[in-house]
């Protein structure tokens, strides 16, 4: 009977204890509070690469400008970069 199988499945699920994961402690190093540039991995990702009506924050201003000047496209989606603007975290 399918009903017995469903009840057995539910009862076995009820006996499973949920896994409790604790969040990692906050990072006190200011460089790591924001993502690092995915091009140089040295600076904070503070550039918004604008393409059309969207943009990605994925690299530092210097690397973002290099990607645009060299015609490499956005490192995330490869769309042509229309503009590189500096992004400020508050």
């Amino acid at each position: 009977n399918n009903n017995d199988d469903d009840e057995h499945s539910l009862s076995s699920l009820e006996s499973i204890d949920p896994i409790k994961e604790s969040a990692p402690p906050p990072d006190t190093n200011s460089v790591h509070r924001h993502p690092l540039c995915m091009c140089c991995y040295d600076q904070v990702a503070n550039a918004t690469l604008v393409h059309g009506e969207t943009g990605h924050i994925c690299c530092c201003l210097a690397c973002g400008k290099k990607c645009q000047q060299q015609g490499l496209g956005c490192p995330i989606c490869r769309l042509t970069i229309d503009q590189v603007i500096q992004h400020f975290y508050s």
Side-chain angles (χ1 to χ4, degrees), residues 6-79:
D6 290 342
E7 287 177 22
H8 177 70
S9 296
L10 289 175
S11 64
S12 64
L13 288 176
E14 290 169 357
S15 65
I16 298 173
D17 292 330
I19 298 172
K20 296 181 181 180
E21 294 184 23
S22 60
D27 192 344
T28 56
N29 185 343
S30 64
V31 172
H32 296 291
R33 280 190 238 164
H34 303 293
L36 290 177
C37 173
M38 66 179 296
C39 297
C40 69
Y41 294 101
D42 188 42
Q43 301 295 316
V44 170
N46 66 347
T48 301
L49 307 182
V50 180
H51 30 68
E53 294 183 13
T54 63
H56 284 114
I57 303 167
C58 57
C59 57
C60 67
L61 193 58
C63 289
K65 288 181 178 185
K66 283 181 189 176
C67 286
Q68 183 185 30
Q69 290 167 353
Q70 294 176 4
L72 299 176
C74 175
I76 300 293
C77 64
R78 297 294 180 211
L79 288 175

